[in-house]
Amino acid sequence: MEHFQGHQKGFLNDTSTLSNIIDTAKALKFEGFILTANPSYGDYIAEPIPFAISGILIPSVADSEVIMQYYEKRTKRDEKGTVTEFGAWASTGEGRVASFKGRSPVVSRFSSRGPDIIDANRSLADVLKPDILAPGHQIWGHNFALLSGTSMAAPHVAGIAALIKQHNPSWTPSMIASAITTTSSNFLCSLPNIEANIITTATGEPCKSPFDYPSNLNLPSVTISALKGSIYVRRTVMNVGNSTETYLGSVLAPNGTTVNLNPTWFTISPQGTQDLDIQINVVRPMEDFHFGEIVLTGSMDHI
């Protein structure tokens, strides 16, 4: 079995393609090929396609280096560096066994990231979108192929929504989204400089709440795209359970800020609501985005 060393730059500028490698391997009558990551260019995204011959993609530099060390150790060369004997072995085993590595949540490099952009000038809205992510990367999809993209992510989110709807038949789509993201509300009406009649035309109904900035949308994320000084935002939580529960709030503040919660703890009855005031203060100006966490831990182990 011969190997190609994956040259990521070639894939970025379209001078190399996986199809070309397969065609070359066929023309040279290889038994198969291994496409390894080039340490000079880092890991690559392995997007498998149907192979006309045996092949395997090794997108990790660390894994590729292990393979190359073995390859070089079992390869003999003369004083000029010319290969005189190959001693490395490889075999094709069970290819349907899943390998679970890494950690969640991780967004694929080809996926969108927030904050949301609201106009052609790429102005940022104080909303983190997308706020629901699904595993759309290398999913064992239709026609027995590994596929990536929103077409693979959508069925996962739809399946989760169907399970929630089955358990709570009376819930509306927005309540289901709330259960997935924690909560959501009336986004268009919060956009700055938006005309009310445009929203009525687009959605068929007028805004039911006063205009406010997206940072005050009742979302489970708090996004401030350009914070100066300090800001207050409010979130309202609802207990959809059947028992009264006491929650304690804790904060891991983003770099360069302090974050204060009010109240820091509260008791909430079934179907009850609780307002949370969140103050974010700049203590050291930063030039890029930083993230933190607000965690509410309940007495019945709800987080």
Side-chain angles (χ1 to χ4, degrees), residues 99-117:
S99 175
F100 300 100
K101 298 198 310 183
R103 60 185 179 87
S104 295
V106 175
V107 183
S108 294
R109 278 176 279 186
F110 54 76
S111 294
S112 300
R113 288 164 172 79
D116 190 29
I117 294 173

Side-chain angles (χ1 to χ4, degrees), residues 153-204:
H156 285 263
V157 173
I160 292 171
L163 288 173
I164 294 173
K165 181 68 172 178
Q166 183 181 35
H167 189 66
N168 303 282
S170 64
W171 281 18
T172 65
S174 62
M175 292 176 73
I176 293 172
S178 293
I180 297 174
T181 66
T182 298
T183 187
S184 72
S185 180
N186 198 12
F187 171 64
L188 288 176
C189 291
S190 73
L191 295 178
N193 305 317
I194 197 76
E195 295 183 20
N197 62 322
I198 294 179
I199 297 174
T200 303
T201 301
T203 64

Side-chain angles (χ1 to χ4, degrees), residues 60-77:
S60 163
V61 168
D63 293 340
S64 298
E65 288 178 335
V66 171
I67 293 174
M68 291 306 301
Q69 288 172 2
Y70 168 74
Y71 178 84
E72 292 296 336
K73 182 178 180 180
R74 300 301 298 269
T75 300
K76 296 182 179 179
R77 306 174 186 271

Side-chain angles (χ1 to χ4, degrees), residues 74-278:
R74 300 301 298 269
T75 300
K76 296 182 179 179
R77 306 174 186 271
D78 60 21
E79 61 275 3
K80 295 181 180 179
T82 305
V83 174
T84 58
E85 184 180 339
F86 291 103
W89 286 82
S91 61
T92 302
E94 172 57 75
R96 295 172 296 178
V97 178
S99 175
F100 300 100
K101 298 198 310 183
R103 60 185 179 87
S104 295
V106 175
V107 183
S108 294
R109 278 176 279 186
F110 54 76
S111 294
S112 300
R113 288 164 172 79
D116 190 29
I117 294 173
I118 62 176
D119 56 30
N121 297 322
R122 301 186 67 80
S123 301
L124 294 174
D126 287 340
V127 170
L128 189 65
K129 290 288 183 178
D131 55 5
I132 301 176
L133 301 175
H137 186 59
Q138 288 189 27
I139 301 301
W140 189 255
H142 53 78
N143 295 331
F144 299 98
L146 289 167
L147 303 175
S148 299
T150 53
S151 58
M152 292 292 99
H156 285 263
V157 173
I160 292 171
L163 288 173
I164 294 173
K165 181 68 172 178
Q166 183 181 35
H167 189 66
N168 303 282
S170 64
W171 281 18
T172 65
S174 62
M175 292 176 73
I176 293 172
S178 293
I180 297 174
T181 66
T182 298
T183 187
S184 72
S185 180
N186 198 12
F187 171 64
L188 288 176
C189 291
S190 73
L191 295 178
N193 305 317
I194 197 76
E195 295 183 20
N197 62 322
I198 294 179
I199 297 174
T200 303
T201 301
T203 64
E205 58 184 45
C207 291
K208 295 185 176 65
S209 59
F211 281 74
D212 202 345
Y213 284 96
S215 59
N216 262 324
L217 282 171
N218 203 38
L219 298 172
S221 56
V222 176
T223 305
I224 312 297
S225 56
L227 178 59
K228 295 180 180 178
S230 65
I231 191 172
Y232 279 92
V233 295
R234 173 171 288 183
R235 294 295 185 268
T236 303
V237 298
M238 180 179 182
N239 182 358
V240 296
N242 298 318
S243 303
T244 298
E245 191 163 7
T246 298
Y247 282 87
L248 177 66
S250 60
V251 177
L252 177 63
N255 289 345
T257 72
T258 59
V259 178
N260 299 315
L261 285 183
N262 183 34
T264 56
W265 68 274
F266 57 88
T267 299
I268 186 169
S269 58
Q271 306 305 308
T273 61
Q274 172 69 49
D275 290 341
L276 287 175
D277 289 323
I278 305 166

